[in-house]
Amino acid sequence: MKTGLVLEGGGLRVLFSMGIMDVMMEHGIRFDGIIGVSAGATMGCNYKSHQPGRALRYNINFADDWRYCSLKSWIRTGNLVGAEFAYHTLPEQLDIFDNTTYTQDPTDFCVVCTDTATATPVYRRVRTMDYEGLEWLRATASLPIVSENVNVGGLQLLDGGIVDSIPLKYWQSEGYRRNIVILTQPAGFRKKRTRLMPFFRIFCRRTPAIIKAMARRHEMYNAQLDFLAEEVKKGDTLLLCPDAPLRIGRTETNRQKMQAVYDAGRHYGERHIGEIMRFLTTEATTTA
């Protein structure tokens, strides 16, 4: 039975997830496959490249650079997160992503995107972070309204969280039957219908399928939470999530808040590392 790691998005809340993952990396924990959505993928890829601390570092170092993430970037380029700077200049020149290690590591790494024409999920194994691989990362994290559609793989794509925010069921269908799921909202959280529907109807009028998907996104997400809870009861899924709401915005520029959220993830990981290792070791014993 293959082991999997499932990472939801949530903007800079994912620094909590990275705190946990960095602790797991430091303890030598590896997975057969990782699937990430939105920021869960853009930061989670550092697990496969064996670069603990990198996600926190570049978010802190470039917090004030308008080319990275800013209203100015959105006005000038159509993308709140700079398409060229954040997804190519930064990982290729400024805080280099270790693509050699990433490519050589045997862990499967999959991202989830949304086809803008049909509002259906697109799952893509990213085997190397060349230009196209980095564009798949950009696609999975491109939120509607504040991002242009990403043309990659012959498709027009946006953020995977629109249609599959917690892709546990898909990962199970791919043979990953024993999974750790990291969420960025605390237990008991339920998503409400977005108040931004008037803006989606205006800015996404050329992609009506996306408008419909956003209108029912809360229903999709809450159903996935229900499914996750049932899978946890069965014993082959371990849920890790913050003890309380994370006090950070999706596009936060306050470095102290970034550090605090990351530290909260590290503390959580350190408290639960025994449980995590027992969960994975039990599977290894069962299948021996």
Side-chain angles (χ1 to χ4, degrees), residues 11 63 68-69 73 90 111 114 121 142 151 157 188 205-206 213-214 218 231 278 282-283 285:
Y68 180 54
C69 179
S73 174
L90 193 159
V111 303
T114 299
S142 290
N151 185 351
L157 303 172
R205 59 188 179 277
R206 295 181 180 177
M214 291 305 302
H218 63 297
E231 294 304 297
R278 284 193 298 273
T282 299
E283 164 57 14
T285 301

Side-chain angles (χ1 to χ4, degrees), residues 164-191:
D164 194 354
S165 297
I166 310 170
L168 173 61
K169 185 178 291 187
Y170 171 78
W171 215 220
Q172 289 176 337
S173 75
E174 290 295 294
Y176 298 92
R177 301 300 302 176
R178 193 162 183 83
N179 294 285
I180 291 179
V181 178
I182 306 181
L183 301 185
T184 60
Q185 296 284 10
F189 172 80
R190 304 295 286 186
K191 187 175 287 294

Side-chain angles (χ1 to χ4, degrees), residues 66 69-71 86 95 100 110 129 133 142-143 166 180 182-184 197 203 241 265 272 278 281-282 284:
W66 73 266
C69 179
S70 68
L71 180 61
D95 194 325
T100 298
C110 183
M129 286 298 172
S142 290
L143 294 166
I166 310 170
I180 291 179
I182 306 181
L183 301 185
T184 60
M197 283 312 301
F203 287 95
C241 63
H272 291 272
R278 284 193 298 273
T281 302
T282 299

